């Protein structure tokens, strides 16, 4: 995590203060549960809440000697609680605290990520309706294909982020898991009631079989979901980068007064934000493979996953959180140029209507093979000689279309006739 690509709301989740506060809540709630069971005195559980405290610096100092973070925390906690601290952590193992804490942090992070996705969705919806009927050329392989609308383009990205929201909701549910089951998950020294009690207090579900840890397929699914969201960020960022190229300039990032694009060339307006988003997406995806590799652990547990998660959990969530809000800002302030879009539609002399001519010829009795040959012959002439496509077709005796039928094939509005249908599919009847 670096401040340049971080938002304080997300970085706060991964601070030592938040982590130890969650550890304290887990231990204190567990004491309450143990007191209800009669395992420890109620006064001891009450003392933990009343006197319990911790200092990050002191925990770090103790850990330098013990080489164990949970023991260091418990030692520091005992310094405040006093004699009743002997009842803390009864029947628990370190992973009960560590894994449950990580679950809380990841659910907290998920809520912020969902908020970021919601901002992206709101921006995409607003701009999609703004340019719902603005024609632009669609491209396949980067080459002009047929007309579409800029609203349809944005609606497609909206649909992707709507799917991403559902993926994040599922990932949040998968990771919001409490495990307090003891050394190898058998509840030999702690009653399952304690796990259920703490889970309810923290808003988590319980892990059916936790061995000593929560199974890491849950975490793998979580980080995989983050990777998919990041790829959707990159997909939209790449589209904007292409549209901002000088040859197109159909849309571009907002360029603020006083902003500079190049230290050498004063004229430059570079797509720096969307290029940055492309790079950030790569970093989020880089967490996916290590998370997948964490699934295979030795027997009831080892700690090969631990160092990985201490890095990828904060880095991936902080980075994606930042990327989502940066992307939302780009969409909200995106500069769109309908005239440039129309110029691109007109650029190839009508070639974007070739399929309509092909289909019309087949409807007028010409075989598809002959129709394709006729249309392609004139299309290639336009590519190489810059001729007018409709004029070439009109002059060809093999083209059996009337002037009115031929004109209809070049009607740009034809390609937007199902825009409302598409928008209803994406945004619903209410829109």
């Amino acid at each position: 995590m670096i401040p340049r690509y971080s938002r304080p709301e997300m970085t706060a989740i991964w601070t030592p203060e938040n982590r130890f506060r969650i550890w304290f809540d887990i231990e204190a709630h567990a004491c309450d549960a143990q007191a209800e069971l009669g395992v420890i005195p109620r006064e001891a559980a009450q003392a933990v809440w009343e006197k319990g405290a911790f200092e990050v610096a002191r925990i770090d100092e103790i850990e330098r000697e013990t080489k164990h973070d949970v023991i260091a925390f418990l030692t520091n906690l005992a310094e405040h609680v006093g004699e009743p601290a002997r009842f803390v952590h009864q029947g628990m193992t370190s992973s009960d605290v560590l894994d449950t804490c990580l679950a809380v942090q990841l659910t907290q992070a998920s809520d912020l990520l969902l908020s970021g996705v919601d901002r992206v969705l709101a921006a995409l919806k607003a701009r999609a309706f703004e340019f719902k009927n603005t024609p632009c050329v669609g491209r396949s392989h980067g080459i002009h294909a047929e007309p579409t609308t800029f609203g349809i383009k944005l609606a497609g990205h909206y649909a992707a982020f709507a799917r991403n929201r559902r993926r994040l909701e599922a990932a949040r549910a998968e990771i919001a898991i409490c495990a307090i089951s003891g050394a190898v998950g058998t509840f030999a020294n702690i009653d399952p009631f304690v796990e259920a009690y703490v889970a309810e207090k923290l808003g988590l579900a319980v892990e059916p079989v936790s061995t000593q840890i929560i199974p890491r397929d849950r975490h793998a699914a979580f980080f995989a979901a983050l990777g998919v969201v990041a790829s959707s960020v990159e997909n939209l960022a790449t589209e904007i980068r292409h549209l901002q190229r000088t040859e197109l300039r159909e849309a571009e990032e907002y360029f603020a007064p006083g902003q500079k694009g190049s230290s050498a060339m004063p004229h430059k307006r570079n797509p720096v934000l969307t290029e940055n988003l492309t790079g950030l997406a790569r970093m989020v995806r880089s967490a996916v493979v290590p998370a997948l590799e964490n699934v295979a652990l030795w027997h009831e547990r080892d700690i090969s996953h631990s160092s990985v998660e201490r890095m990828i959990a904060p880095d991936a969530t902080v980075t994606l959180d930042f990327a989502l809000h940066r992307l939302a800002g780009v969409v909200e302030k995106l500069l769109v140029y309908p005239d440039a879009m129309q110029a691109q539609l007109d650029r190839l002399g009508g070639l974007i209507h070739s399929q309509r001519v092909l289909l019309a010829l087949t409807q007028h009795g010409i075989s598809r093979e002959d129709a394709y040959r006729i249309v392609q012959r004139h299309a290639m002439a336009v590519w190489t000689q810059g001729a007018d496509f409709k004029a070439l077709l009109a002059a060809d005796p093999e083209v059996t279309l009337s002037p009115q039928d031929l004109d209809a094939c070049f009607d740009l509005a034809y390609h937007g006739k199902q825009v409302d249908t598409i928008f209803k599919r994406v945004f619903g009847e209410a829109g």
Side-chain angles (χ1 to χ4, degrees):
M1 298 183 295
I2 60 173
R4 186 180 183 92
Y5 304 128
S6 305
R7 295 193 325 124
E9 299 91 331
M10 183 64 87
T11 57
I13 292 173
W14 302 105
T15 60
E17 290 80 4
N18 188 54
R19 181 173 74 254
F20 293 137
R21 171 56 55 186
I22 297 169
W23 288 13
F24 174 80
D25 288 344
I26 293 168
E27 296 284 5
H29 286 309
C31 286
D32 284 344
Q34 296 279 36
E36 285 201 29
L37 291 171
V39 175
I40 71 172
R42 288 190 179 276
E43 296 78 13
Q46 186 176 352
V48 173
W49 284 110
E50 292 177 353
K51 299 180 180 179
F54 59 85
E55 295 84 29
V56 174
R58 176 60 177 149
I59 294 170
D60 291 342
E61 178 186 359
I62 298 169
E63 186 182 357
R64 283 193 287 272
E65 177 182 349
T66 63
K67 305 297 189 291
H68 196 291
D69 52 358
V70 175
I71 291 175
F73 169 79
L74 293 171
T75 301
N76 180 221
L77 180 62
E79 292 173 342
H80 293 275
V81 175
E83 191 275 338
R86 63 192 175 92
F87 295 108
V88 175
H89 207 68
Q90 287 277 311
M92 295 169 62
T93 189
S94 296
S95 290
D96 291 334
V97 178
L98 295 171
D99 275 13
T100 301
C101 174
L102 180 58
V104 173
Q105 289 175 297
L106 291 177
T107 55
Q108 292 174 344
S110 296
D111 290 338
L112 288 181
L113 292 173
L114 286 166
S115 176
V117 169
D118 286 342
R119 184 182 169 195
V120 172
L121 286 169
L124 285 169
K125 181 176 181 179
R127 303 311 298 272
F129 275 91
E130 181 181 354
F131 298 104
K132 178 179 179 180
N133 297 305
T134 301
C136 64
V137 70
R139 298 172 173 86
S140 56
H141 307 276
I143 309 301
H144 283 199
E146 290 192 347
T148 182
T149 76
F150 194 59
I152 290 176
K153 275 181 178 280
L154 296 177
H157 289 285
Y158 178 97
F161 276 96
R163 293 190 295 273
N164 285 329
R165 196 185 201 288
R166 293 191 292 271
R167 292 180 182 114
L168 277 177
E169 289 172 341
R172 184 192 188 282
E174 178 130 23
I175 206 64
I177 298 295
C178 174
I180 301 180
S181 53
V184 292
T186 61
F187 297 100
N189 295 301
I190 192 166
D191 194 285
F193 171 78
V194 177
E195 181 182 66
Y197 183 95
V198 175
E200 182 180 2
K201 291 295 184 180
L202 298 179
L204 304 175
V206 297
E207 177 58 50
V209 183
S210 56
T211 65
Q212 191 179 97
I213 60 169
I214 294 172
R216 257 44 194 179
D217 60 282
R218 293 183 179 276
H219 303 73
F222 179 86
F223 288 104
L226 266 55
V228 174
V229 178
S231 291
S232 294
V233 169
E234 182 180 12
N235 189 30
L236 178 50
T238 300
E239 176 71 17
I240 294 170
R241 290 170 62 194
H242 278 305
L243 294 178
Q244 186 164 337
R245 284 182 293 133
T246 307
E247 302 92 312
L248 275 61
R249 203 170 174 231
E250 295 182 37
E252 67 174 343
E253 297 174 12
Y254 174 74
F255 198 81
Q259 183 175 340
K260 304 294 188 292
S262 167
S263 63
M265 297 166 284
H267 71 279
K268 294 298 291 296
R269 290 166 67 110
N270 300 329
V272 292
L273 298 179
T274 46
E275 288 176 337
N276 169 255
L277 287 169
T278 299
L280 295 179
R282 294 170 184 166
M283 294 307 300
V284 175
R285 285 196 302 271
S286 71
V288 177
V289 171
L292 292 169
E293 292 176 341
N294 277 354
V295 174
L297 300 174
W298 288 18
H299 306 298
E300 278 58 56
R301 85 157 304 197
D302 61 56
I303 65 166
S304 60
H305 63 92
S306 177
S307 57
V308 175
E309 290 165 358
R310 289 175 191 261
M311 298 176 70
I312 67 173
D315 284 355
T317 55
V318 168
T319 303
L320 183 57
D321 173 68
F322 179 88
L324 287 168
H325 285 275
R326 169 154 287 184
L327 179 65
V330 168
V331 175
E332 289 163 356
K333 302 175 74 173
L334 187 69
L335 303 176
V336 180
Y337 303 112
D339 290 345
M341 292 177 177
Q342 185 61 53
Q344 286 295 326
L345 288 164
D346 298 337
R347 185 173 180 179
L348 294 180
L351 286 188
I352 55 176
H353 302 289
S354 70
Q355 182 178 192
R356 285 215 69 200
V357 178
L358 168 66
L359 296 176
L361 289 175
T362 63
Q363 291 293 317
H364 282 73
I366 298 178
S367 71
R368 183 177 179 85
E369 290 75 17
D370 287 341
Y372 196 103
R373 173 182 53 79
I374 294 167
V375 174
Q376 188 182 45
R377 181 175 71 241
H378 295 303
M380 293 305 102
V382 174
W383 274 110
T384 58
Q385 301 167 26
D388 181 83
F389 187 46
K390 186 163 70 170
L392 291 175
L393 292 166
D396 188 340
E398 287 190 279
V399 176
T400 57
L401 303 176
S402 69
Q404 294 79 12
D405 289 336
L406 186 59
D407 285 342
C409 292
F410 287 77
D411 179 13
L412 185 62
Y414 173 88
H415 295 274
K417 65 182 181 179
Q418 298 295 352
V419 171
D420 286 340
T421 299
I422 295 170
F423 268 56
K424 286 178 182 177
R425 288 180 173 184
V426 175
F427 302 105
E429 291 290 337

